[in-house]
Amino acid sequence: EPDVTIVSGLKDMAVSEGDDVTFRCQVSHENARDVEWKLQDVALQNNEMNEISVEKGKIHTLTLRKVTEQDVGTVTFRVGPHTSTA
């Protein structure tokens, strides 16, 4: 299995309370496994507040819905041994 690397990392975002914010991270290969999103070192699951998806096979997205002050912090995307933070 090829080593999947991060081609385009996360970008810092500023957003108003109550708005949605989307983070994108592009990887080198489609169907990447061992992928994880975290907010403040807490692993995120796909649910009504966090939408985790993959566009075009290589662009992994995380949308945080209706953010609050408690959502301030570091977002981390990890694929295998590689990470990107914003």
Side-chain angles (χ1 to χ4, degrees):
E1 196 166 300
D3 184 29
V4 178
T5 60
I6 295 172
V7 176
S8 175
L10 299 175
K11 293 180 175 44
D12 291 340
M13 306 289 275
V15 63
S16 299
E17 191 168 14
D19 287 349
D20 296 350
V21 61
T22 300
F23 295 91
R24 287 183 176 80
C25 201
Q26 183 174 348
V27 298
S28 58
H29 295 79
E30 291 187 9
N31 305 318
R33 294 185 191 169
D34 195 22
V35 170
E36 182 178 50
W37 286 97
K38 287 184 175 180
L39 175 59
Q40 303 164 6
D41 285 331
V42 176
L44 299 176
Q45 305 297 325
N46 198 14
N47 58 37
E48 66 278 353
M49 296 307 292
N50 314 313
E51 182 183 325
I52 297 171
S53 62
V54 181
E55 299 171 2
K56 300 184 181 118
K58 295 182 183 178
I59 301 171
H60 292 255
T61 65
L62 166 67
T63 300
L64 302 176
R65 302 212 179 281
K66 298 185 175 82
V67 297
T68 66
E69 283 185 27
Q70 285 75 39
D71 295 319
V72 170
T74 301
V75 171
T76 305
F77 173 82
R78 181 185 61 76
V79 56
H82 308 285
T83 60
S84 179
T85 58

